[in-house]
Amino acid sequence: MSRAGLHDASREEAAPLHTPAEAQSYLNDGNSLRSWLLTTDHKRIAILYLISITGFFAIAATAAAMMRLNLLTPQGALLTAEGYNRAFTMHGVIMVWFFLIPSIPNVFGNFLIPLMIGARDMAFPRLNLASWYIFMGGGLFTLAALIFGGVDTGWTFYTPLSSTYANGNVVLALSAVFIAGWSSILTGINFIVTIHKLRAPGMTWGRLPLFVWTHYATALILVLATPVLTVTLLLVVAERLFGLGIFNPALGGDPLLFQHLFWFYSHPAVYIMVLPAMGVVSELVPAAAHKKLFGYWFVAYSSLAIALVGFLVWGHHMFVSGQSMYASTVFSFLSLVVAVPSAIKVYNWTATLYKGSIALNAAFLFAMGFIGLFVMGGLTGLMLALLAIDVHVHDTYFVVAHFHYIMVGGAVTAYLGAMHFWWPKMFGRMYNEVWGRISAVLVFIGFNVTFFPQFLLGYMGMPRRYHEYPPEFQTLHVLSTGGAGLLGLGYALPLIYLLYSLRHGEPASANPWKATGLEWTVPSPPPTHNFEDTPIVVREPYDYPLSHDSSIA
C-alpha cells in the first residue's frame, strides 16, 4: 500500500477470506439475521442504516432519472403532467428525509462517534436501535404512498394544496415524514448525551475531532427544529381529514402560517445535511495533507454559529409570499450573515492544504469536489439572499441548481468521500483506488454538466416543476440529461468496486491513511467493544506530522 492508497491488484487473489482482525470484529459477532436485527452495537446499527439508505437513494435516483428523460423533449417524452408531479414529489421526499438527512449522521456518526471519543457504544444503545426501526417505519409508509399511486404536492407540502386540493396519498406521505422525524429526534438526543457523558479521559472539548463537533451542532438542530415540523405536519393531517381551519383561508386559516412553520424547520434542515458533510471534509483534508488543521477553534465554533444563525433565516424562502418589506430586509441580511461561518471553514481547509504533502487519493478528490461544489452553491445562495435577484429567479431552475449544488454536490459528495476514507475501517478491506479516483472525477464532471445549465435555464425564466417547456430551452435540458447519465455512472461505480472489495480486497491495516484519531488505533474492522482498555488521550487533535501511532499515552 502506497501513501496514496494505491491498490495492488496482483495481491487480490492472495487476500485471505478472514484476517485475525476480522475474526474478532463486530462483523463476526453473530451471523444470524436475528443477531443483526436485534443488535445494540452502534457499528452494526450504522451498517443497517447504510443498507437502508442505499435502497432509498436508488428509488429517489430512479424518480430523478425519469424526470430527466421526460425533459429530453419540450413536449415531455415519458410522463404525463400528473405523473411528472408525482415523480418530483417522491424524489424530493425520499431524497431529503430518507437519504440526505440520515446519510452521514446515521451511518458515519453512529459508527464513528463512540470510536472517536473513546467510548464503547452510544449512551443509549437500545434507543439507537429503536431509531432505526422508527426510521424504517417511516420508510414503509413512504413506499406505501408510492405503491398506491404517489403524491403530487412537492416535498414542501404547501397548503392549501396538500390539505385540501391534492388527490394523491398525502396523509401517507405526511405520516412517513412525521415518523422519520421522531427517529431524527432520538438520534440527536443520543448524540448529545454520548458526546457530553462518554468521552474518554483526556478527551476535552478542545481535543474533539471536528467531525464530532459538527455532529454535536447537527444534533442540536435535530432536537430543537424537528418537533416544529412534526407538529406542523400533524396540523396538515388534521385539516385534511377533519376539516379544521388552520391553513386553508376558506376555513379561516392562514396558508402563510404553514410556510413560516415549514421553513423554520426546513432551512435549519439544510444545515442538518451540510454540517456533517463539513465534519467529514475537516477530517479528510488534514489527513490528505498530513498537516495540522488550520484554525481548529474557528472551524469548531463556526459549526455552532451555523446552527444558531440557521434558525433565523427561514423568511428568505418567503420574499414573494407577501411578507412585509422590512421583514424581508432583515431576513436578507441574516441570510448573508450565515455565509460568514461557512466561508471560515472553506478558508481554513484551503489554508491547511497550503504547503502540504498531499496524497491524491479518492477520498481527498471527493473532498475537493465537495469544496468546489459547495462554494458554487454558497455563492449562488448569496445571490438568492438578495431581494432583487431572488424575486427575478424565484421558483425557477436557478433555485433548483443552487439547492442541488449544496445538497447533492455538497452532502452527497462528502458522503462518498467519507465512504472511501472509512470503508477500510468499517469492513477491513481496501478497495481499488484507481476506480475510486475515476468515480470522483465522473461525479464532479457529471454533476456540473447536469446542474450548471440549470442556472442558465432559471435565469432565462424556465420555471421549475413543469413537465414541458418552450423549444428554445431544449439544448440546455438535453445537456443536463446527458450530465445526469455521467453522474449516475459516477454513483454506480462505487457500489460495484466497494462490494467487490469485501471479498477480494486487500486486508486493511489499522491505519491505512496514516491519520490521527482514536478510530485509527483499533483494528480494521474494530472489535465488538471497540477498545480493550479505556483510552487516555494526551495529544491535541490533528497532531501531524504523525510521529506516533496513537493518541494513547
Side-chain angles (χ1 to χ4, degrees):
M1 174 64 57
S2 73
R3 182 179 182 181
L6 283 176
H7 178 76
D8 187 352
S10 65
R11 299 182 60 181
E12 283 185 359
E13 297 301 326
L17 294 180
H18 294 289
T19 64
E22 287 172 329
Q24 301 175 19
S25 76
Y26 74 99
L27 292 172
N28 276 324
D29 189 17
N31 295 317
S32 66
L33 185 61
R34 176 188 172 89
S35 72
W36 279 90
L37 294 180
L38 296 181
T39 183
T40 55
D41 185 335
H42 65 101
K43 300 179 290 297
R44 285 195 164 205
I45 294 172
I47 303 303
L48 292 176
Y49 273 114
L50 173 63
I51 296 169
S52 309
I53 67 167
T54 302
F56 287 122
F57 180 85
I59 297 171
T62 302
M66 293 172 65
M67 292 156 55
R68 287 312 323 166
L69 289 173
N70 182 76
L71 294 170
L72 278 174
T73 64
Q75 299 80 23
L78 185 64
L79 300 168
T80 63
E82 181 67 18
Y84 187 82
N85 289 346
R86 293 176 186 239
F88 72 66
T89 300
M90 296 313 297
H91 168 72
V93 168
I94 296 174
M95 196 62 94
V96 169
W97 280 293
F98 294 94
F99 179 75
L100 287 170
I101 286 179
S103 58
I104 296 177
N106 291 32
V107 176
F108 296 104
N110 251 322
F111 194 96
L112 293 168
I113 286 176
L115 286 166
M116 285 181 164
I117 66 174
R120 289 196 167 191
D121 207 322
M122 302 293 285
F124 307 115
R126 292 185 178 87
L127 195 65
N128 200 16
L129 179 62
S131 298
W132 179 74
Y133 275 105
I134 294 171
F135 172 78
M136 291 305 296
L140 291 177
F141 269 75
T142 305
L143 295 178
L146 179 64
I147 292 170
F148 293 138
V151 60
D152 57 355
T153 60
W155 72 276
T156 50
F157 297 113
Y158 269 13
T159 57
L161 172 62
S162 62
S163 61
T164 304
Y165 300 109
N167 56 13
N169 297 289
V170 178
V171 173
L172 271 178
L174 291 172
S175 301
V177 178
F178 177 86
I179 295 169
W182 283 104
S183 172
S184 296
I185 292 169
L186 297 181
T187 299
I189 292 172
N190 223 341
F191 282 178
I192 291 171
V193 177
T194 301
I195 295 168
H196 268 277
K197 304 300 290 184
L198 298 187
R199 301 195 310 274
M203 181 59 82
T204 62
W205 287 91
R207 291 173 176 168
L208 280 179
L210 288 163
F211 180 89
V212 179
W213 270 101
T214 55
H215 278 72
Y216 183 73
T218 302
L220 292 176
I221 302 175
L222 284 171
V223 171
L224 295 176
T226 309
V228 177
L229 177 72
T230 56
V231 171
T232 305
L233 298 182
L234 202 60
L235 292 175
V236 175
V237 172
E239 181 167 288
R240 186 175 178 88
L241 292 182
F242 306 114
L244 301 180
I246 303 168
F247 303 118
N248 187 349
L251 300 174
D254 182 359
L256 279 187
L257 174 61
F258 174 84
Q259 293 190 36
H260 278 292
L261 294 173
F262 180 82
W263 288 116
F264 181 80
Y265 161 81
S266 293
H267 195 83
V270 170
Y271 302 114
I272 292 174
M273 300 177 238
V274 169
L275 271 170
M278 291 173 164
V280 169
V281 175
S282 295
E283 300 298 321
L284 267 55
V285 166
H290 289 81
K291 279 184 61 186
K292 190 178 181 70
L293 188 86
F294 184 84
Y296 171 87
W297 281 111
F298 282 98
V299 179
Y301 284 138
S302 66
S303 298
L304 298 180
I306 290 171
L308 174 64
V309 181
F311 276 104
L312 307 176
V313 301
W314 79 90
H316 78 221
H317 295 275
M318 301 167 61
F319 285 161
V320 298
S321 68
Q323 73 179 1
S324 81
M325 176 181 63
Y326 301 106
S328 294
T329 303
V330 172
F331 281 121
S332 174
F333 172 74
L334 291 171
S335 300
L336 296 174
V337 169
V338 79
V340 174
S342 299
I344 286 173
K345 288 177 180 289
V346 174
Y347 289 136
N348 281 277
W349 294 328
T350 307
T352 302
L353 293 174
Y354 180 65
K355 290 189 176 180
S357 177
I358 297 171
L360 287 174
N361 53 40
F364 176 73
L365 292 180
F366 278 113
M368 289 299 95
F370 168 88
I371 293 174
L373 299 175
F374 177 75
V375 167
M376 175 67 80
L379 291 175
T380 52
L382 290 177
M383 295 169 70
L384 290 171
L386 301 173
L387 281 163
I389 297 178
D390 185 85
V391 170
H392 178 68
V393 299
H394 185 81
D395 257 347
T396 70
Y397 265 79
F398 192 95
V399 178
V400 176
H402 157 71
F403 183 76
H404 282 80
Y405 263 84
I406 295 292
M407 295 295 94
V408 181
V412 178
T413 305
Y415 174 78
L416 290 172
M419 186 68 72
H420 286 75
F421 189 62
W422 282 294
W423 180 268
K425 178 55 62 183
M426 295 172 76
F427 297 101
R429 296 285 169 158
M430 301 303 295
Y431 52 86
N432 189 307
E433 178 67 26
V434 175
W435 281 112
R437 294 178 190 180
I438 292 173
S439 172
V441 173
L442 276 177
V443 166
F444 186 78
I445 295 174
F447 180 87
N448 280 291
V449 176
T450 303
F451 290 103
F452 192 83
Q454 296 182 16
F455 281 126
L456 304 178
L457 284 167
Y459 189 78
M460 292 189 293
M462 170 78 199
R464 64 177 178 174
R465 298 179 172 174
Y466 277 48
H467 92 294
E468 57 185 13
Y469 54 85
E472 56 264 33
F473 293 144
Q474 186 175 15
T475 301
L476 289 172
H477 270 301
V478 170
L479 189 60
S480 185
T481 301
L486 274 181
L487 186 59
L489 180 61
Y491 287 154
L493 280 177
L495 188 64
I496 299 171
Y497 60 74
L498 289 178
L499 290 177
Y500 182 83
S501 74
L502 292 178
R503 185 166 181 81
H504 301 283
E506 181 183 341
S509 65
N511 191 358
W513 313 118
K514 306 302 178 189
T516 63
L518 287 179
E519 76 271 28
W520 301 110
T521 66
V522 297
S524 302
T528 300
H529 296 296
N530 295 347
F531 302 95
E532 289 186 8
D533 301 304
T534 302
I536 300 173
V537 181
V538 298
R539 303 283 183 180
E540 298 303 311
Y542 313 107
D543 190 22
Y544 293 105
L546 195 66
S547 56
H548 51 84
D549 291 333
S550 75
S551 298
I552 306 173

